[in-house]
Amino acid sequence: MNTFYVVTNTQKDPEYKNADVIRKYLENKGKKCYVQKEEENTAKTYKYTNADKIPPDTECVLVLGGDGTLLQAARDLVRWKLPFFGINFGTLGYLSEMEFSDYPQALDKLCLGEFTVENRMMIEGDAYKGGRKVLSDLALNDVVIIRRGHLKIIDFDVYVDDSFLCSYRADGIIVATPTGSTGYSLSAGGPIVDPGASLMILTPVAPHTLTSRPVILPDNVTITIRLSGRMERQGADCAEAVFDGDTSLICGAGDYIKIRRSECSTQMVKTNRRSFVETLRSKMN
């Protein structure tokens, strides 16, 4: 690789010091490196990373920060089909390949071509209110339908390819990708899945029953989550649908979301030979 584009978390790197360290290191090796500045994020079609500012010769996007920064960049730049390399200076940084302190070794391998690229599936959801589609968005980690306001449970029905699966009374429900299996889904009791797998995970959040369990589904189905009519007494803003912890929509009784595998995907660069099991052990202690 010869040309890189750096996206940094400006809350943790407000003066671009870490980004400039990366840029100078690569330029000293004869490579080209561009750093996105916060003032470039003015296009309304993007949330955090302005894809229109990326030079056409870019070969890799270096994401400095934590998992949230990488998720945001992946969603904004998904149409460019560029590989991402995460350099963590957040907290857990499960999606990141390296800690910031290890950047020289990692960047050397990128420059020498000593890396592999993993393909990560994404999901997309269409949200409907009054039978009309009002929102479509992508997620690399998960789509979450969660209660709002006072401590009231929500009722919802789940369908798989239009076949009724079950009804839940819970605080919410998570539809996660394999990449997202180590995020909120895991905290809610969902299974850990190898990120290279192709499937979807359905995990209820604090279900009010002893028999509710996570469900693993193939990646070629459509999952529909419909808020039950029994929730009319709770009002039109009793729940919220959230894509990757970012884009959200207020929901009420009768509203529903259709979730399926997206044709888009995210490419993640790997420079170390640690297996999924080794990464799991080190990150999750």
Side-chain angles (χ1 to χ4, degrees):
M1 291 181 173
N2 295 301
T3 307
F4 301 86
Y5 189 82
V6 176
V7 174
T8 190
N9 185 326
T10 53
Q11 292 183 335
K12 299 174 182 177
D13 188 21
E15 297 179 359
Y16 298 90
K17 291 181 179 179
N18 291 332
D20 284 339
V21 167
I22 297 296
R23 177 183 57 79
K24 291 176 182 177
Y25 187 88
L26 288 169
E27 289 178 346
N28 287 338
K29 287 186 168 294
K31 308 298 181 180
K32 288 197 287 186
C33 182
Y34 306 92
V35 176
Q36 175 186 262
K37 299 298 182 180
E38 193 169 24
E39 59 268 19
E40 295 176 350
N41 300 334
T42 56
K44 294 183 179 180
T45 51
Y46 306 110
K47 300 184 184 309
Y48 304 98
T49 307
N50 190 341
D52 296 332
K53 299 294 184 179
I54 295 182
D57 58 342
T58 299
E59 297 175 77
C60 182
V61 179
L62 305 177
V63 182
L64 279 59
D67 288 351
T69 311
L70 201 153
L71 288 172
Q72 293 163 0
R75 281 152 49 84
D76 278 339
L77 306 183
V78 64
R79 306 296 176 186
W80 280 70
K81 299 180 180 180
L82 289 167
F84 292 85
F85 186 84
I87 301 176
N88 181 54
F89 54 82
T91 51
L92 178 62
Y94 192 85
L95 297 179
S96 300
E97 177 69 1
M98 288 284 179
E99 297 299 316
F100 185 79
S101 58
D102 298 324
Y103 77 85
Q105 304 95 298
L107 296 182
D108 288 348
K109 290 182 178 181
L110 291 180
C111 293
L112 294 172
E114 298 175 358
F115 61 86
T116 58
V117 178
E118 289 184 355
N119 193 64
R120 304 287 183 89
M121 69 168 280
M122 302 180 76
I123 53 178
E124 58 186 44
D126 298 327
Y128 294 81
K129 294 179 72 69
R132 182 173 62 91
K133 184 164 69 173
V134 295
L135 175 68
S136 294
D137 209 344
L138 292 167
L140 174 58
N141 256 10
D142 52 40
V143 178
V144 179
I145 294 88
I146 198 74
R147 62 171 173 79
R148 299 183 73 245
H150 299 294
L151 295 177
K152 295 181 179 180
I153 61 175
I154 56 177
D155 298 278
F156 47 89
D157 303 319
V158 179
Y159 298 81
V160 178
D161 283 342
D162 297 324
S163 295
F164 177 69
L165 175 64
C166 61
S167 295
Y168 285 99
R169 301 199 76 200
D171 286 358
I173 193 164
I174 305 163
V175 180
T177 66
T179 298
S181 71
T182 52
Y184 190 14
S185 177
L186 177 62
S187 299
I192 297 174
V193 178
D194 188 306
S198 296
L199 51 85
M200 291 186 284
I201 306 160
L202 197 64
T203 307
V205 180
H208 289 241
T209 174
L210 295 175
T211 57
S212 293
R213 294 290 183 270
V215 179
I216 296 177
L217 295 167
D219 66 345
N220 60 348
V221 301
T222 298
I223 300 170
T224 302
I225 300 172
R226 182 186 296 271
L227 296 177
S228 171
R230 296 189 298 273
M231 295 176 57
E232 290 182 352
R233 65 188 183 278
Q234 296 187 21
D237 60 351
C238 55
E240 187 172 9
V242 186
F243 293 76
D244 271 348
D246 180 29
T247 307
S248 64
L249 175 72
I250 305 304
C251 305
D255 297 340
Y256 61 95
I257 297 179
K258 288 183 173 289
I259 301 168
R260 60 195 173 278
R261 177 172 184 161
S262 175
E263 294 182 357
C264 301
S265 61
T266 296
Q267 287 71 48
M268 304 286 283
V269 177
K270 307 288 289 183
T271 57
N272 63 58
R273 296 187 179 184
R274 287 186 301 176
S275 67
F276 166 66
V277 173
E278 291 173 310
T279 300
L280 185 65
R281 185 178 66 243
S282 64
K283 293 287 186 179
M284 297 298 181
N285 196 26

